[in-house]
Amino acid sequence: MNRRHFLSALSLGALAAATGATAETIAPLTLPDAEWKKRLPPQAYEILRHEATERPGSSPLLEEHRKGIFACLGCDLPLFDSNTKFDSGTGWPSFFRAIPDHLKTKTDFAIGIPRTEYHCARCGGHHGHLFDDGPKPTGLRYCSNGAALKFIPAKA
């Protein structure tokens, strides 16, 4: 490990400690494309495996207001707690905080400008994009494709 990698790891560790984040080991789920196509509904397959986007306003999860968890439809990894969901007015389910370590990001240039795209940390499925125009306390907006999520209600 060189000095730069050491200092970077040290900084990330300090940031995680300061924010209360914990590193969680998530075993990757990798399947052949044909298996993904068999196990996912067509729209979810296109979103999760080929980075498609659903039409705004089309997700029934826009109106989901119960307590619970929003999980990846591809692998069931919990991604968002319902208490972080908010109405962004964009037509897509939006959240201001993800469950720590359950998403990974990359820069996306698909529309010609850089955006932050996020994926499930377990199966790599595409879920949406991350913007910095969300509400307090984070100021973030995880703009999600509802067809790539499943809602798991909290037990009463």
Side-chain angles (χ1 to χ4, degrees):
M1 177 182 279
N2 67 30
R3 182 174 173 230
R4 180 182 302 146
H5 288 116
F6 174 76
L7 291 174
S8 177
L10 188 62
S11 296
L12 288 172
L15 178 61
T19 61
T22 59
E24 179 181 339
T25 302
I26 297 172
L29 173 63
T30 52
L31 299 171
D33 191 62
E35 181 62 27
W36 285 118
K37 197 165 192 168
K38 276 196 310 193
R39 72 187 288 178
L40 294 170
Q43 185 180 29
Y45 168 77
E46 289 301 322
I47 292 167
L48 288 165
R49 306 319 310 165
H50 296 287
E51 301 176 354
T53 301
E54 68 190 4
R55 266 187 9 263
S58 65
S59 174
L61 293 181
L62 281 169
E63 301 305 320
E64 181 57 70
H65 302 293
R66 296 175 290 168
K67 296 276 186 208
I69 295 291
F70 292 86
C72 177
L73 189 66
C75 70
D76 298 332
L77 183 68
L79 303 179
F80 303 101
D81 189 287
S82 62
N83 67 8
T84 67
K85 186 174 184 273
F86 70 99
D87 182 1
S88 65
T90 62
W92 288 280
S94 297
F95 305 87
F96 63 81
R97 179 180 294 122
I99 294 174
D101 304 319
H102 288 205
L103 294 175
K104 293 187 177 189
T105 61
K106 74 174 188 176
T107 303
D108 166 20
F109 292 95
I111 62 170
I113 58 170
R115 297 182 299 170
T116 302
E117 181 178 340
Y118 63 91
H119 297 262
C120 173
R122 178 181 290 149
C123 71
H126 167 79
H127 280 273
H129 290 86
L130 177 60
F131 301 96
D132 63 1
D133 60 1
K136 291 181 180 184
T138 65
L140 299 175
R141 173 172 54 97
Y142 290 86
C143 188
S144 297
N145 285 288
L149 294 169
K150 74 180 201 176
F151 179 71
I152 304 167
K155 294 182 177 151

